[in-house]
Amino acid sequence: MAAPGSDIEHGYPHLDMVRASLTALYRRLSRDTVDTFGLSVVPGDVAFSDQDDLHLGVQRVARVMVQHMRLPDARMIVSFREMRHAGNVELAAGPEYFIELNSRFKTHRRDIGAALAHEVTHVYLHRLDLAFPGTRDNEILTDTTAAYLGTGWLLLDAYRQDAVTSQKLGYLTPEEFGYVLAKRARLFDEDPSPWFTSPQAYEAYAKGRELAERDERQPPLAAAGWTGRRRYAKDRRSAQSGHPSPTGGDYVFEGGPPLSVSFPCPTCRQRIRLPVRGRLRARCGLCRTVLECDT
């Protein structure tokens, strides 16, 4: 949790790990399971006013997160204490999990849903036995999973800044949250922007969406723009002439004859390998996205 007034990191410093997290999630869950998360948590389900009883309200929001993440037999016991981070969860065999939230949430209740989204996703990944080596990478996996499966828009909405204070929850930058949410929006035809109460969150989502859209316009995808297609054609001629495979984009030419090209799926980032033979339609073997290509 970024402290009020602290500098907040922007841009895409964790983009490679975010993309690796999407691939790992599809490998562990399958497309069919991902599709069961087609509806996000809605604002009304996590609304928390100052007039609500603190502990009853926290338990209510925790149940919303548990139900959304398909953890019907998991019981979350939530308490508050002074700490540096937004929250912490004790990962054990269950069914009871002990979550601690930063004491500042007692008076900043609007962000309790965001903090619980992150901690309950830790429990979900623990039960899936899905993890990366290292604390930092696991936290990025957790934020990416929360955003992609329908609770993490709350983490982006908790990003707020004005002339004297700033706040951000989670390990991803605001733009990286926007990128993952845009990937989700594309998959489920869902627009989270009306839910944002923070203007900074909306701006970060718009920037992340631009990058997510560029993923779908990279050669050899048929939707690539003129500049990308021209560069790809030049690199393809070089590869066909026996020169080392160019590295000007995400694609890599391999083997030959016949020559093939590999590139990341714009949905799950799993690499796809296709023959170089002009226009064709391909289906990603991992997420089953159908791709129009011009190799």
Side-chain angles (χ1 to χ4, degrees):
M1 179 170 63
S6 67
D7 291 332
I8 291 177
E9 189 174 26
H10 288 276
Y12 304 95
H14 316 112
L15 185 59
D16 288 345
M17 188 53 58
V18 168
R19 288 169 167 170
S21 297
L22 290 174
T23 306
L25 195 60
Y26 271 98
R27 286 176 177 167
R28 184 65 182 85
L29 290 185
S30 82
R31 173 63 184 265
D32 289 336
T33 303
V34 170
D35 283 347
T36 66
F37 291 89
L39 297 176
S40 289
V41 167
V42 296
D45 289 344
V46 293
F48 200 155
S49 73
D50 291 339
Q51 286 70 47
D52 292 337
D53 179 273
L54 177 62
H55 294 285
L56 290 178
V58 167
Q59 292 300 328
R60 173 180 59 81
V61 176
R63 283 196 298 272
V64 170
M65 297 302 168
V66 167
Q67 291 168 2
H68 182 83
M69 299 305 291
R70 318 295 195 265
L71 297 169
D73 61 338
R75 296 191 296 273
M76 303 295 159
I77 300 173
V78 185
S79 61
F80 297 86
R81 72 174 176 88
E82 295 291 335
M83 67 176 82
R84 178 171 176 265
H85 298 291
N88 181 61
V89 62
E90 179 183 317
L91 295 175
E96 292 184 341
Y97 295 89
F98 296 90
I99 294 176
E100 295 176 316
L101 296 183
N102 193 298
S103 294
R104 72 185 299 268
F105 288 119
K106 291 181 179 180
T107 54
H108 292 77
R109 299 183 180 187
R110 64 186 290 188
D111 297 322
I112 283 178
L116 288 174
H118 181 90
E119 301 307 332
V120 173
T121 302
H122 268 304
V123 174
Y124 179 70
L125 292 172
H126 174 70
R127 289 195 165 194
L128 284 180
D129 194 26
L130 176 57
F132 286 156
T135 300
R136 170 186 170 276
D137 290 351
N138 263 323
E139 296 293 353
I140 292 170
L141 171 64
T142 302
D143 278 346
T144 302
T145 300
Y148 201 68
L149 296 186
T151 63
W153 69 267
L154 289 159
L155 286 157
L156 177 55
D157 194 43
Y159 163 51
R160 290 185 289 276
Q161 249 177 333
D162 58 34
V164 294
T165 63
S166 60
Q167 172 186 282
K168 184 186 78 68
L169 300 185
Y171 286 71
L172 301 187
T173 68
E175 293 79 13
E176 287 167 342
F177 271 121
Y179 174 81
V180 180
L181 290 172
K183 292 284 190 185
R184 173 183 170 79
R186 177 71 175 84
L187 180 67
F188 293 116
D189 192 24
E190 176 188 79
D191 181 10
S193 57
W195 302 333
F196 294 134
T197 61
S198 162
Q200 292 83 14
Y202 181 85
E203 292 169 5
Y205 174 66
K207 291 178 181 177
R209 183 174 57 199
E210 290 176 3
L211 181 59
E213 290 172 350
R214 284 203 296 271
D215 283 352
E216 300 186 2
R217 298 195 301 266
Q218 296 298 312
L221 298 175
W226 180 83
T227 301
R229 293 299 312 163
R230 185 178 182 185
R231 184 187 71 240
Y232 179 83
K234 179 177 179 293
D235 292 343
R236 180 176 56 198
R237 288 193 300 271
S238 178
Q240 289 170 333
S241 300
H243 293 267
S245 179
T247 57
D250 287 338
Y251 54 83
V252 177
F253 292 102
E254 302 172 350
L259 190 68
S260 63
V261 62
S262 70
F263 61 97
C265 170
T267 299
C268 68
R269 305 303 296 181
Q270 169 84 1
R271 291 197 73 84
I272 299 170
R273 190 170 183 267
L274 296 176
V276 175
R277 64 181 188 202
R279 293 191 69 94
L280 53 84
R281 176 176 293 178
R283 182 189 294 270
C284 175
L286 183 59
C287 69
R288 305 204 302 266
T289 300
V290 176
L291 304 170
E292 298 291 339
C293 304
D294 188 354
T295 61

